[in-house]
Amino acid sequence: MDTATLPMDEWKTICWPQVERAVFKLQKRIYQATLRNDKRNVQRLQRLLASSWAARLLAVRRVAQDNAGKNTPGIDKIARISPEDKIQLAKQLKEIPAPQPVRRVYIPKPGKTERRPLGIPVMQDRAAQALVKQALEPEWEARFEPDSYGFRPGRGCHDAIQYIFEQIMHQPKYVLDADIAKCFDRIDHNALLDKMGAAPRVRRMVRGWLKAGVMEGDIFERTEQGSPQGGVISPLLANIALHGLENEIMHQSPRTRRVAGMDLVWTPRVIRYADDFVIMHRNLEDIHKLRKVTEDWLKTMGLELSPTKTRIVHTLEAINGQPPGFDFLSFHIQQVPAGQRRTRRYTNSGERLPFLPLIRPSKDAVLRHHRKLGEVIDSLQAGTQEKLIRVLNPIIRGWCRYYSTQASARTFSKLQHVLWEKLWAWMKRRHPNKAKKWIYRKYWHYNGKRWQFQSPEGTTLYMHGETPIRRHIKVDRKRSPYDGDWLYWATRMGRHPELDNYVARLLKKQKGCCAICGLFFTRMSEPVAVMEQIQGEQSKGQRKISQLVHEHCRQKKRSLESMES
């Protein structure tokens, strides 16, 4: 019997480039049909995509192999599935089964004592949701408002922050810092399904997932409203529910204001990241009106603003006892008066501006990072220097890269000093009877330019001050990954602030393509791996080269090599 026909080998020998091409071609056609407002063709293509073998395989791979939460079980307690089960699951998706309740788990909220509830579906429902999401997402990417950045392919936090920076560069603004009370838990099901306007089969499936219920231990609870966080399709449903808010605010806002005998056009700006959004306007009276418009619109979806967390502030001045500025996506955003020695900014007419925009890490974010460093160092009092460095490096790198697109240099410098003090206390505790100079030279080494916290094995601690500040290039408001312009999206991958510099160099060298399958890396969150290969003859000298590949391509190559050996 040919071993390639076994179910286990059938999964390992799938040609994923062909699968992704087939799915993307249909998604691109759905996107283009939506732009033409061809609803009938959109639903026909969505049915074709949902029934295709390629889309079912890709949906299973994403929930059982690619996603970070793939090992979290639902109520059936099944986390990992074998290659044979993956093939069977893809075949079962031809007929979507009846949904099962989700398992309720709680995770801590950053900087808060309360916990966030999550609903974890079973593996079968996750795959079905991923399949439906593949069909719905291209349609809604063509319809979503341009200044919505949360949980959308090709967009992220830094795009929203950069757009806010552009809005406060030249003008002070009043800001409605809004917070929707329990957004995911209170979405009205009927209003959401009516807004989707999906085909009857898709509507029945989505309704089934919304009404499936929640299991907390042995207690079952019905879900009459809300979309449980933790499902594959939940972020897309939340974006659909909040779609239209920006257009409503723009429509209800006064187009002109009479100021000093002149008619000026003051347009509000709405920047939304999932259920967090801000509304910016130059006039305080209009901000109060837009708050009422927002509250009335949210009622149609069963939502409301949190009265304790929603506030009106000014970017430059204190109003109503509120200090200037606001926090958004863990950044603090405000304008500061420009002194004589500060960098000067000018309007288009050449007039000097008396203020500067300032965006930096929020105090809560800095405090959480500070505490995290202390917890790690305290927990490794008896550990080696090598282990301490290996645990600290990814924490410091990840935190600094997130904030490296704004004015964070001073914050990085302060945190670096705090880290030095914590490391000094760690060293003194290990050697209480040694001199300071002896302790310092044991753990710190001079590399010709500066002193580094370095282990005997040669591993060096990454310090906050080593992170360069680079302004993020905001995504084009009209762009979408489904428009087919992969050159644009592959170029953006190399500029993404959370992308490792080494990976970015490989990406630029490979022109955004996988070294094995030759396809572009199409999603910023797509799992990638650095694969090392030895080239050259042993007699003439060998050298190692690094290549950037898809994680599933690397796994497939390894499995094929093991089969051959």
Side-chain angles (χ1 to χ4, degrees), residues 206-277:
V206 175
R207 184 180 181 85
W209 293 323
L210 294 175
K211 300 288 187 181
V214 176
M215 289 289 294
E216 187 168 356
D218 296 330
I219 302 174
F220 174 79
E221 181 183 348
R222 297 177 61 87
T223 49
E224 299 298 336
Q225 60 182 5
S227 175
Q229 299 182 64
V232 178
I233 203 172
S234 295
L236 177 61
L237 295 181
N239 273 332
I240 293 174
L242 295 175
H243 171 67
L245 175 60
E246 180 182 345
N247 290 334
E248 180 68 14
I249 291 173
M250 299 292 286
H251 178 72
Q252 296 290 341
S253 174
R255 291 297 177 184
T256 59
R257 298 290 300 182
R258 191 74 175 174
V259 179
M262 296 184 295
D263 290 333
L264 300 179
V265 178
W266 287 354
T267 306
R269 298 298 179 190
V270 183
I271 299 94
R272 182 172 67 84
Y273 188 91
D275 58 333
D276 296 330
F277 65 95

Side-chain angles (χ1 to χ4, degrees), residues 433-553:
N433 299 323
K434 293 291 186 179
K436 293 181 179 180
K437 184 178 291 186
W438 183 92
I439 297 174
Y440 193 83
R441 289 186 174 179
K442 176 176 175 61
Y443 293 99
W444 294 79
H445 304 279
Y446 191 69
N447 66 351
K449 295 182 179 180
R450 59 186 178 86
W451 289 89
Q452 294 178 316
F453 189 74
Q454 190 178 62
S455 69
E457 293 82 1
T459 307
T460 303
L461 179 66
Y462 184 86
M463 305 299 286
H464 295 79
E466 298 178 31
T467 306
I469 304 299
R470 295 193 180 100
R471 185 68 64 184
H472 177 66
I473 299 176
K474 190 177 78 69
V475 65
D476 192 321
R477 298 171 79 237
K478 297 181 180 180
R479 293 278 189 172
S480 170
Y482 298 109
D483 60 14
D485 190 356
W486 295 120
L487 182 59
Y488 173 81
W489 292 104
T491 303
R492 282 193 61 81
M493 286 284 291
R495 295 174 180 171
H496 197 255
E498 293 184 66
L499 191 64
D500 186 84
N501 291 334
Y502 184 60
V503 175
R505 288 196 296 270
L506 292 177
L507 186 66
K508 184 177 180 180
K509 181 180 178 181
Q510 297 173 202
K511 298 181 179 180
C513 296
C514 173
I516 294 179
C517 66
L519 294 181
F520 283 111
F521 297 102
T522 58
R523 292 181 293 127
M524 293 184 181
S525 59
E526 189 168 15
V528 297
V530 178
M531 184 180 67
E532 291 187 348
Q533 279 189 327
I534 299 177
Q535 284 192 349
E537 298 179 6
Q538 191 169 4
S539 58
K540 298 181 180 179
Q542 296 178 336
R543 63 188 182 94
K544 278 187 176 181
I545 63 168
S546 298
Q547 294 176 318
L548 199 64
V549 298
H550 292 106
E551 177 64 27
H552 56 270
C553 290

